[in-house]
Amino acid sequence: MAQFIKIFNDNPNESAIKKVVEVLRNGGIVIYPTDTVYGMGCDITNTKALERVAQLKGIKLEKANLSFICYDLSHISDYVRQIDTPTFKLLKRALPGPYTFILPGNNDLPKVFKNKKTVGIRVPDNNIIRSIVNQLGNPIISTSIHDDDALLEYSTDPELIFEKWQRQVDIVIDGGYGAVTPSTVIDLSGNIPEIIREGKGSIDIL
């Protein structure tokens, strides 16, 4: 049975963050708020946990397009190839924010992602998840929580999310209601930026 933990975005409780980090370090799966929709994730260095996430989502891990949630831009350089100045300036302008940027991956990607040429990077404007990632010391994998309701694509109510996932994950964080609009996805792996999905983040940053 999952733990249901209330954490406030304005002032994340240190001991609650510690508890979440401990669970992630032990291979746990956590559902957490972002600056867009609620996400599900685990430590990217833990293969067993990654396989559990893929299983819960009904996807093959090697083929899955999961994004990494990083604390800041310095985290990003651990997993992506050298980026040019215009790309760096764009990332600096947009992050933290409601964007997922697809960038060319480097050789330090976790083993299960070795065949991937690109990686999706997120730095959400949300203190809860960034505090967790910062304390963990490396990114967590991220996939959005979808709703069973035909009218609502994403689950927004943490209590309902807990009700649905309590037997499948280890922690559900209540960080208040989530948004219904996902992040804007921009592919920066080619010569010119390509908008893959227009979401919450404005495309005027390009």
Side-chain angles (χ1 to χ4, degrees):
M1 181 82 150
Q3 297 178 67
F4 191 51
I5 301 177
K6 176 84 183 163
I7 305 179
F8 294 95
N9 187 41
D10 296 344
N11 188 16
N13 177 303
E14 196 63 32
S15 63
I17 296 289
K18 255 199 188 95
K19 191 184 280 186
V20 176
V21 169
E22 213 167 284
V23 165
L24 287 166
R25 284 209 178 110
N26 291 327
I29 294 176
V30 173
I31 290 177
Y32 50 84
T34 69
D35 52 356
T36 57
V37 298
Y38 266 79
M40 176 197 293
C42 66
D43 185 336
I44 66 164
T45 63
N46 190 310
T47 308
K48 276 206 170 72
L50 290 166
E51 281 164 355
R52 261 182 78 198
V53 169
Q55 204 178 349
L56 286 174
K57 292 286 284 187
I59 50 181
K60 272 200 162 63
L61 189 53
E62 309 74 47
K63 295 199 168 83
N65 287 322
L66 303 166
S67 49
F68 293 3
I69 289 197
C70 300
Y71 174 67
D72 60 14
L73 288 180
S74 63
H75 246 163
I76 291 175
S77 55
D78 294 343
Y79 298 100
V80 304
R81 285 211 299 272
Q82 190 72 43
I83 49 181
D84 58 24
T85 308
T87 302
F88 182 77
K89 282 184 172 163
L90 171 60
L91 295 175
K92 222 170 153 49
R93 265 203 313 278
L95 301 173
Y99 296 92
T100 301
F101 288 105
I102 298 169
L103 294 156
N106 67 18
N107 296 329
D108 294 326
L109 284 173
K111 208 163 61 214
V112 287
F113 301 114
K114 280 289 185 239
N115 299 332
K116 285 212 161 291
K117 293 198 166 43
T118 58
V119 58
I121 296 288
R122 280 274 274 129
V123 182
D125 189 7
N126 178 285
N127 295 328
I128 299 168
I129 191 58
R130 286 184 71 220
S131 301
I132 290 164
V133 170
N134 195 28
Q135 274 211 28
L136 183 64
N138 50 266
I140 67 170
I141 207 79
S142 178
T143 175
S144 303
I145 295 289
H146 289 263
D147 202 286
D148 295 334
D149 188 316
L151 296 173
L152 281 174
E153 196 182 346
Y154 297 99
S155 304
T156 59
D157 183 336
E159 289 189 9
L160 293 178
I161 292 171
F162 177 70
E163 218 170 274
K164 180 181 173 181
W165 293 96
Q166 59 186 324
R167 300 194 186 285
Q168 294 161 289
V169 302
D170 301 285
I171 286 181
V172 175
I173 296 170
D174 174 0
Y177 273 84
V180 288
T181 313
S183 63
T184 292
V185 182
I186 301 173
D187 189 345
L188 298 177
S189 63
N191 293 332
I192 52 165
E194 188 188 341
I195 295 152
I196 306 295
R197 175 181 75 196
E198 204 174 327
K200 193 174 173 188
S202 165
I203 55 172
D204 293 347
I205 58 153
L206 296 175

